[in-house]
Amino acid sequence: MNALTRWVPRLIIALAIVHFAYALATPNSWADMAGDGFWASAADTAAADYYKREYTLYFFAAGILLLALGTLARTLAHVTGRFPAQVGWYLIISGALLCVIEFPVTGGWLMVAIGVLGLVAARRAGTARPLTEATAGLDR
């Protein structure tokens, strides 16, 4: 396993942590949503802090998805010895959609950069270890 194969999942997990920190650092949004009972509290367009609630929820949900993608990639890299190229493509496509279509000035470029590093890691890995019951942790 090369260094990129080890580091790209860590970068994805770090990006997830940044999303969590940003979502939790938004002043009063979570308290206001809890005060409204959470149920559809981010969809209340009449709320004075509607946009704050909306992006707080977006960043938290994106953090969960990035954490899932990063830990899955880390597990697959550990089991197979390769970084899964699909994860790199997912990050590139998601980041490109955010940057080009929705928000040209955004941190989504980090997703594109990490995705490119992921593709480089997948390409450099060479041959993968065969996936057997023993390497998949399925032995009893």
Side-chain angles (χ1 to χ4, degrees), residues 43-88:
D44 182 10
T45 56
D49 62 344
Y50 167 71
Y51 292 106
K52 212 185 276 189
R53 291 178 182 203
E54 192 174 57
Y55 75 72
T56 298
L57 185 60
Y58 160 79
F59 272 95
F60 200 77
I64 291 169
L65 295 174
L66 284 167
L67 183 63
L69 196 59
T71 55
L72 178 65
R74 184 182 64 190
T75 300
L76 287 171
H78 178 72
V79 169
T80 66
R82 296 181 60 107
F83 183 83
Q86 298 93 325
V87 173

Side-chain angles (χ1 to χ4, degrees), residues 103-130:
F103 312 107
V105 180
T106 181
W109 294 105
L110 285 172
M111 289 175 66
V112 173
I114 294 171
V116 169
L117 287 174
L119 291 180
V120 171
R123 187 168 182 95
R124 284 188 184 171
T127 58
R129 291 186 297 210

